[in-house]
Amino acid sequence: MEFGSIVFLLRFLPIFIAFYYVVPGRMKSFILLLGSLCFYAWRVPIYVVLLLATAVSDYCHGLLIEKYKGKRTAGIILGNALFFDSALLLFFGYADFLIGAINAVTGLEISKFDFPIPLGLTIFIFQSMSYVIDVFRGNVEAQRNLISYAAFVTMFPQMPGGPIVCYRDVEQTLRIPKPELHQISGGAKRFCIGLAKKVLLADLAGELWMGVESLGVSSLSMGTAWLGVFAFAFRMYYAYSGLADMAIGIGMCLGFSLPESFRYPFAASSVTDFLHRWNMSLVIWVKEYVFRGNVPGRLFGAFLAWSLMGLWYGPDGTFLLWGVWLAVFYVLETIFWKRVQKALPFVVNWLLTMLVISVGWVFFALNDMESVKIYLYALFGQGAAGLMDDHFWYLLSEYFPVMSLGIVFALPQLSMLIRCLREGRSGLSMALYRFGEKTVPAILLLLSLLKIVGE
Amino acid sequence: MSEKKNDLFTIAIVAAILMIFSTTDLLTKLGILEKDNITEPELELSLSKDDLWNGRFFEKYEEWEQETFFNRTKWSEIVRNTRLTLGRRELNGIYLGKRGRYFEKHAGEDYPLNVMERALDDLKEISEERNALIMLIPTSDEVWKEDLPGYADSFDQSAFLGRVRDTVGEEAFIDLYASLKAHEGERLYYSTDPHWTSLGAYYGYLIWRRQAGNKLPVYYDPGKLVSVKEDFVGKYAEKTGLEMQEESILTFGETYRRSLSVLVDGEESPEEFYHDEKLDSAEPLEYFLGNDFRVAEITTGRDRKESLVVIGDSYANSMLPLLAPHYRKIYVIYAESFGADWKRALGMFEGREDLEYLLLQSVPDYLELYRQ
């Protein structure tokens, strides 16, 4: 069930929310669990077993860790829990990818499993891991209520695209979720914005990218290649940040405060800055649960972590390459470029960063290195079709409104303007803000619904 | 307004939108509210293990929900009009051209080099082995290129035709592009359908006759075309969902009432080139022979020595009546039924000396055979 589908928006969500609000506080976790399992079972029902197995496993491990707190046994139990979670993650998420890699390197022909990757696999495994680690570290108490814990692990809002929620952030709410009116109102607004990002901007940017891709990398002009990169970047950003906004919005409506995931990554003035603005909840998770403690070779560890970040988006070599590309620049910046950056004006740093990020998207978007090479040639004016051709002008004129909106919403200036209105003391700014906060989400929701049902 | 009222108001608006859409759709599906007049697909769900495993079961249900959503045609229209207002000039693979003309998109990248090479090899073979004339019909997006939206991607058919000429030689190549281009101001193609009109076919016929040589003069008067349908709207309307200007289907009166015998895939068909009953069907252009066959055999009733084998497509159908007076029989091989292996169908004519061959297809249709 996709967030941008009729079944979710007009069937599942209203029924679920109605039940959630009607039942008393103590029952809310149970309704959340039930709703999440229904949501999860919609695609591949059998994977509900996997989801529940993770929840039950870490619930038991959590209790045992607490029981043996301070003893060596607790460490062994933690190791056992993490091994189980990692094994599930590797087997269900990356087994075919690893087999493919082994086959490619050794020339063997090990057959693949070919099963679909469970929805939100990395998310619920990481969430569950964060719980056992936090119990081990003494940051949280072990959850005694299996339903509450299972509701945390299976929570549906973040399943399609994050953010990763740490147990300690929702521990209090899980006991008796009690959404406040301002939370519900804020959540509804956030959800509408996220939906519009996904349905209106990401999907249309995706159409443009597919238009460029269908031309074939060998026949691209420089203009078309850049248009393609921007379209792909917007597709990725608006799809993932849209999903995160919807998750945060639904979370607020349910009384939870889910962490932010994206903070205007295209306003970044360095690759390091970009990495800290893109998929922030993953970055925080990695920092908190991988690097806390004494990691030997910190820079190498960071390089490894940023490189592997690509695999978050799927088991594919090109995603890994994207991660490696960004990780290399992260290391370069850390070693020496940071000092140079300080001497350069912001605009130059921003342009250089966008150049690196844009090239990175080429790795992400294309399937093989030969295509990447040809695309990069086109990107720097060495393509078969010169600087600008008819394709470029045609696609630009077709998608100009979408790309313009894409740029406006990807930069923080609009949000700054809204904040000015909200915090403004004049009657006009207040009236404008009040009017906008009611009409804009409603218009976005209407437009998104029209696009969903009309296409 | 207090903060509390403000929040309540925001929630109420969002909830109301969701509830209105949701309940109206449910009430429509339950038959309590009136449905729009679109035939709705039946919900066909089978709970098989495979469907459950790969998620297809729920996917089918979601598709059904989408397709049967209340007032779907209205919503689609709004989305379409919004796209057009925002400057889109292409809907579902159809260009919205100038002067009320619509064009099927034939993008250059759809026909890679290897496809063209294979297509050219077969043309060379058939022209050498069977002395076939090659008459590839450029489509409207080539002849009326100026009416395409600015910068629209369009496969360069004239360049391909140049390669065909170089491959098969001047003797075998019929330069239809030049002929049609010379008459581009006339109604050579339908505006709402990819096919050429009887007038386009007539210009094709003239150039064929000149190239084929030694043919008895048969006169058709393009000034006296007969209208058989005034309210024709071609397939672009359905593809784009747009309302389009109706146009007429015209034919040459001289081609009527000939004594014919038509065998389609070995079975007798109405003894006419034209199928009146198709005019009011969903495919009015099947009035010209149709396209759901492999081989048709037309006995023209003329006392001629030669017969003709046409390796054709749906474009060929409107030219066949004009060719009929020149032959005793016309065999039509519908190439699409055979795909890239269409030459196999010529096996049935092995050893016959009385046959002439004509490859008569639109450029995209012919190349399409090699993309499959």
Side-chain angles (χ1 to χ4, degrees), chain A residues 217-218 362 366-377:
Chain A
V217 288
S218 49
V362 179
L366 297 173
N367 296 325
D368 59 276
M369 281 312 290
E370 188 57 29
S371 301
V372 169
K373 197 178 94 186
I374 298 169
Y375 200 102
L376 289 176
Y377 273 119

Side-chain angles (χ1 to χ4, degrees), chain A residues 10-11 42-44 46 185 207 214 390-391 394 397-399 434 437-438 450 452-455, chain B residues 3 6-7 9 22 25 53 55 58 62 65-66 72 75-76 83 88-90 95 109 151 153:
Chain A
L10 304 178
R11 304 279 184 271
W42 191 255
R43 272 277 169 255
V44 187
I46 192 78
S185 150
E207 256 180 44
S214 70
D390 283 357
H391 290 309
Y394 180 74
S397 61
E398 287 274 291
Y399 289 92
R434 289 291 189 214
E437 74 165 344
K438 283 174 206 65
L450 281 179
I452 291 164
V453 299
E455 285 202 329
Chain B
E3 282 295 326
N6 200 45
D7 288 336
F9 197 70
S22 177
D25 183 45
W53 173 246
F58 297 109
E62 286 193 32
E65 280 279 16
Q66 178 96 13
R72 178 140 200 267
W75 308 129
S76 302
R83 280 178 178 256
R88 298 296 288 273
R89 292 158 300 158
E90 183 190 333
Y95 285 130
E109 59 276 10
Y151 306 113
D153 183 17

Side-chain angles (χ1 to χ4, degrees), chain A residues 129-431:
Chain A
M129 277 178 162
S130 77
Y131 165 73
V132 282
I133 296 172
D134 272 341
V135 173
F136 178 78
R137 287 176 181 170
N139 293 337
V140 293
E141 285 178 14
Q143 174 60 263
R144 295 203 164 12
N145 186 334
L146 178 60
I147 288 174
S148 291
Y149 184 69
F152 158 69
V153 176
T154 61
M155 224 168 131
F156 75 88
Q158 67 269 32
M159 282 297 173
I164 300 169
V165 182
C166 295
Y167 175 75
R168 59 169 185 241
D169 294 336
V170 293
E171 186 190 12
Q172 294 300 321
T173 319
L174 269 172
R175 285 186 189 152
I176 301 180
K178 197 181 169 197
E180 302 287 339
L181 202 58
H182 71 90
Q183 262 184 311
I184 302 171
S185 150
K189 284 185 272 185
R190 190 73 187 262
F191 179 80
C192 295
I193 291 167
L195 183 67
K197 275 184 177 178
K198 169 76 181 74
V199 174
L200 301 178
L201 288 174
D203 290 358
L204 288 173
E207 256 180 44
L208 173 55
W209 163 247
M210 280 192 282
V212 172
E213 200 184 16
S214 70
L215 296 174
V217 288
S218 49
S219 60
L220 296 181
S221 66
M222 184 175 163
T224 316
W226 277 103
L227 199 59
V229 163
F230 291 144
F232 187 81
F234 285 155
R235 182 176 90 165
M236 292 298 292
Y237 170 63
Y238 286 115
Y240 280 98
S241 76
L243 286 172
D245 282 344
M246 283 189 271
I248 293 168
I250 298 172
M252 286 167 82
C253 291
L254 305 181
F256 292 90
S257 290
L258 306 189
E260 292 295 333
S261 224
F262 292 85
R263 190 167 49 87
Y264 299 106
F266 297 115
S269 56
S270 68
V271 174
T272 311
D273 189 18
F274 175 83
L275 288 168
H276 286 90
R277 289 166 177 263
W278 183 274
N279 210 346
M280 289 150 64
S281 67
L282 175 65
V283 175
I284 290 166
W285 191 93
V286 171
K287 269 187 173 176
E288 186 68 24
Y289 297 103
V290 179
F291 289 112
R292 195 172 161 199
N294 298 317
V295 181
R298 198 170 262 273
L299 198 60
F300 177 72
F303 174 78
L304 204 65
W306 292 127
S307 301
L308 292 174
M309 190 182 79
L311 291 179
W312 164 270
Y313 297 94
D316 198 307
T318 55
F319 300 160
L320 181 66
L321 215 57
W322 175 72
V324 172
W325 171 258
L326 295 179
V328 166
F329 281 89
Y330 169 80
V331 171
L332 290 178
E333 279 180 3
T334 310
I335 295 172
F336 78 99
W337 188 250
K338 222 177 238 176
R339 284 190 289 275
V340 182
Q341 274 175 331
K342 278 181 189 162
L344 294 172
F346 173 81
V347 178
V348 176
N349 282 329
W350 180 75
L351 284 173
L352 287 173
T353 306
M354 289 305 112
L355 185 69
V356 173
I357 304 298
S358 301
V359 172
W361 292 124
V362 179
F363 291 113
F364 198 111
L366 297 173
N367 296 325
D368 59 276
M369 281 312 290
E370 188 57 29
S371 301
V372 169
K373 197 178 94 186
I374 298 169
Y375 200 102
L376 289 176
Y377 273 119
L379 211 55
F380 294 101
Q382 303 300 308
L387 295 181
M388 282 169 197
D389 60 354
D390 283 357
H391 290 309
F392 167 72
W393 292 113
Y394 180 74
L395 290 170
L396 184 68
S397 61
E398 287 274 291
Y399 289 92
F400 184 75
V402 178
M403 295 304 281
S404 309
L405 287 175
I407 294 169
V408 169
F409 292 116
L411 297 173
Q413 278 71 15
L414 183 71
S415 147
M416 282 153 69
L417 182 73
I418 293 170
R419 201 167 55 232
C420 281
L421 284 179
R422 192 177 57 209
E423 291 165 2
R425 292 182 183 274
S426 76
L428 181 68
S429 67
M430 215 182 272

Side-chain angles (χ1 to χ4, degrees), chain B residues 115 118-119 122-123 340 342-343 366-372:
Chain B
V115 165
R118 285 169 59 209
D122 280 353
L123 289 179
W342 57 268
K343 283 183 296 172
Y366 178 63
L367 288 173
E368 196 62 38
L369 298 173
Y370 296 89
R371 288 182 65 207
Q372 291 157 5

Side-chain angles (χ1 to χ4, degrees), chain A residues 81-114:
Chain A
L82 296 180
F83 175 78
F84 180 73
D85 288 337
S86 308
L88 289 182
L89 183 66
L90 284 176
F91 182 72
F92 285 99
Y94 301 94
D96 282 349
F97 172 67
L98 292 173
I99 290 171
I102 291 167
N103 286 348
V105 173
T106 60
L108 292 171
E109 287 182 2
I110 307 168
S111 51
K112 294 183 178 179
F113 295 102
D114 270 339

Side-chain angles (χ1 to χ4, degrees), chain B residues 86-104:
Chain B
L86 290 173
R88 298 296 288 273
R89 292 158 300 158
E90 183 190 333
L91 288 174
N92 210 10
I94 307 297
Y95 285 130
L96 280 60
K98 295 162 194 162
R99 295 196 283 174
R101 285 172 173 167
Y102 299 86
F103 302 91
E104 190 165 14

